[in-house]
Amino acid sequence: EKAMAISSLRAVFGEQYPDPVRVLSVGNKISDMLLKPEDDAWMTGSVELCGGTHLSNTKDAEAFALVQEEAVAKGIRRITAVTRDVAAEAIATGDALQARLQTAATMPKNELGPVLTALKQDIDAATMSYGLKGQLRVHHDALTKEYMAEKKQMASQLANVAIAVVVKQIQALGDAKVAVLQVDVGGDSKMLKSVMAAAQKTAPAMAIC
């Protein structure tokens, strides 16, 4: 009750605090605030209730990693952080994923498909620095765009080759009414459709399959 009477007190709505409660203050002495809890002078500092555990010295944490940030209610965000061995592991995980992305960036673009799929899954599932995870996702998206552009270009080149082969075969048949052709399009239905359209344009009166 004494703590709740301090005019500048901050507490999370709906949070259950123990009694007695820990009071944290930056800028003003708690003993002074308890003597005159209603004084507006306490607005110059920061004072809040906390039911959690605090370190006596930051060196006790050994390592620190902020691993999550999320909305828990309107206007309220929650961050989750880890320390010591868990933090060291999170940092190592982030470094390893960053190294894998850097390696992927040096690979031929047409070989990136399965590598990018595995990386996305691992990045999403990893417990690691929240900030670094965001950076890795941006890097991953950029590589994915490069891969898709390369894939599209290669598909276009393969389609042109296949069309040229089919047109040459049709022209070699002369006045034939029917043509049965074998075309390797790697299972790409869109490419097959383009090849068939070119074939029918070359010989509109010919039955082609």
Side-chain angles (χ1 to χ4, degrees):
E1 293 180 1
K2 290 181 180 179
M4 293 297 292
I6 298 173
S7 61
S8 62
L9 180 74
R10 296 177 183 175
V12 178
F13 178 76
E15 189 76 19
Q16 297 296 318
Y17 295 96
D19 186 11
V21 67
R22 183 189 301 271
V23 181
L24 304 177
S25 176
V26 177
N28 297 297
K29 291 183 179 181
I30 295 175
S31 57
D32 293 341
M33 288 188 287
L34 290 176
L35 289 174
K36 295 182 179 181
E38 72 287 347
D39 196 328
D40 290 339
W42 312 140
M43 300 300 293
T44 59
S46 175
V47 59
E48 62 182 77
L49 302 184
C50 183
T53 301
H54 289 261
L55 300 175
S56 58
N57 193 306
T58 53
K59 72 177 182 181
D60 295 337
E62 297 179 3
F64 177 90
L66 196 160
V67 297
Q68 189 173 2
E69 187 270 348
E70 60 185 339
V72 294
K74 185 177 181 180
I76 298 176
R77 310 291 296 182
R78 174 183 291 160
I79 63 172
T80 302
V82 293
T83 59
R84 295 198 171 187
D85 293 345
V86 180
E89 183 177 348
I91 293 169
T93 297
D95 290 343
L97 286 169
Q98 188 172 37
R100 285 173 59 188
L101 262 177
Q102 289 172 346
T103 298
T106 65
M107 294 174 58
K109 297 297 184 292
N110 62 320
E111 298 178 8
L112 282 176
V115 175
L116 290 174
T117 298
L119 273 169
K120 178 174 174 51
Q121 293 173 347
D122 291 345
I123 290 171
D124 288 343
T127 298
M128 57 181 290
S129 164
Y130 182 79
L132 180 58
K133 178 176 282 194
Q135 294 175 20
L136 295 186
R137 281 173 170 162
V138 170
H139 190 183
H140 181 276
D141 288 347
L143 281 178
T144 299
K145 288 181 180 179
E146 292 179 13
Y147 164 68
M148 294 304 295
E150 179 73 12
K151 184 178 179 181
K152 184 176 181 180
Q153 183 179 1
M154 289 184 64
S156 177
Q157 293 173 348
L158 289 174
N160 290 336
V161 170
I163 288 171
V165 170
V166 166
V167 169
K168 185 176 181 179
Q169 290 177 346
I170 290 174
Q171 290 173 341
L173 293 174
D175 296 330
K177 301 299 182 182
V178 178
V180 178
L181 307 173
Q182 183 175 353
V183 184
D184 182 11
V185 294
D188 190 326
S189 60
K190 291 181 65 176
M191 189 184 302
L192 179 60
K193 186 176 181 180
S194 297
V195 172
M196 287 298 295
Q200 291 169 349
K201 183 178 180 179
T202 301
M206 184 182 292
I208 301 173
C209 58

